[in-house]
Amino acid sequence: MQASKIARAWFGLTALVVIAGLAAQIPVSAGTTGGTFHTPAGRVANLLAFFTIDSNILVGVGSLLLAVGVAGRSTLFGVLRLTGLVGITVTGVVFQVALADLYELHGWAVFADTMLHKVSPLMCVAGWLLFGPRGQLSWRVLWWSLLYPLAWLAVTLVRGAIIGFYPYPFVDPGINGYGGVAFNCVLIGVLFIGLAAAAVGFDRTFSRRDEVDDYLAPDPAESVERIRDAGSY
């Protein structure tokens, strides 16, 4: 029971980190002048174009569901958990390797950057390693999780061709050409699949069939079986 309380507290703190980072980033983006979008509303809406923001939202939602005890053992939540975990890990790695030196940040922008690119990835990965939940990942979940980066890439390239905006230099054909963009995306795709496969392998290796994380919401089928068992005595 004590471990469950610690796990929920960790997930809750992870969700708060994401919320704090997003809350700081929104006014920063709204107040940044110039660029493709000329209104505060347009600049704030454009935040959803960034893989960093989307991955943090997935992590925040998954962590909040775990913190309040309503996350179940469904395939859908497994996909949400794996997608957020791998997406935020890729975010942290790619940012530190390719993007960290491209921007000079000040004030609240530094705080938002720290929360979304550093603290959130570290807390999400550490929380998953320490508390799971275990036994939710499978190769089927892995393939479903690939819809997220593929959909993000498709929308980014089509939208960029229409309005001329690309959220990151490595997906901008004007800088790299379509061949260079394809090469960059293949590298990141291999990283995403490799991390997802490692997560599934870890989960399958260290989970036990008879072990249940008690901070998960009860499975409806299991609840029915318990009622039936209770009535048989």
Side-chain angles (χ1 to χ4, degrees):
M1 184 61 69
Q2 184 64 28
S4 174
K5 291 180 179 179
I6 295 174
R8 287 197 182 191
W10 187 278
F11 295 135
L13 185 58
T14 303
L16 286 176
V17 165
V18 172
I19 292 170
L22 294 176
Q25 184 62 56
I26 288 173
V28 168
S29 296
T32 301
T33 57
T36 304
F37 304 93
H38 303 297
T39 66
R43 291 189 288 271
V44 170
N46 189 56
L47 284 173
L48 293 175
F50 290 86
F51 194 85
T52 294
I53 299 299
D54 299 334
S55 296
N56 269 282
I57 290 173
L58 292 174
V59 168
V61 171
S63 298
L64 186 60
L65 292 176
L66 287 166
V68 299
V70 298
R73 302 180 184 89
S74 66
T75 298
L76 180 60
F77 183 76
V79 173
L80 172 64
R81 186 70 170 145
L82 180 62
T83 303
L85 172 68
V86 179
I88 203 67
T89 304
V90 170
T91 291
V93 171
V94 173
F95 181 82
Q96 296 303 324
V97 171
L99 302 173
D101 296 330
L102 298 181
Y103 308 100
E104 185 177 351
L105 304 176
H106 304 280
W108 283 106
V110 176
F111 175 80
D113 173 75
T114 301
M115 293 295 104
L116 300 176
H117 287 116
K118 299 173 183 177
V119 181
S120 172
L122 288 173
M123 291 201 66
C124 179
V125 173
W128 182 77
L129 290 173
L130 292 171
F131 307 114
R134 298 280 168 257
Q136 288 201 310
L137 304 186
S138 65
W139 303 118
R140 179 167 175 260
V141 167
L142 184 153
W143 294 120
W144 278 112
S145 72
L146 298 182
L147 288 178
Y148 164 52
L150 291 174
W152 179 86
L153 179 61
V155 171
T156 296
L157 294 179
V158 172
R159 181 174 182 259
I162 296 172
I163 69 173
F165 173 83
Y166 297 88
Y168 304 108
F170 60 83
V171 291
D172 188 343
I175 297 175
N176 305 283
Y178 281 101
V181 170
F183 178 76
N184 292 335
C185 291
V186 167
L187 286 181
I188 296 175
V190 169
L191 175 62
F192 194 101
I193 294 173
L195 290 171
V200 172
F202 184 94
D203 184 73
R204 292 165 69 91
T205 300
F206 291 97
S207 63
R208 291 171 40 194
R209 293 179 181 273
D210 59 344
E211 183 178 17
V212 177
D213 294 304
D214 57 3
Y215 50 80
L216 289 174
D219 184 78
E222 292 181 2
S223 298
V224 171
E225 288 299 323
R226 289 173 183 171
I227 292 172
R228 290 175 178 172
D229 291 342
S232 64
Y233 289 100

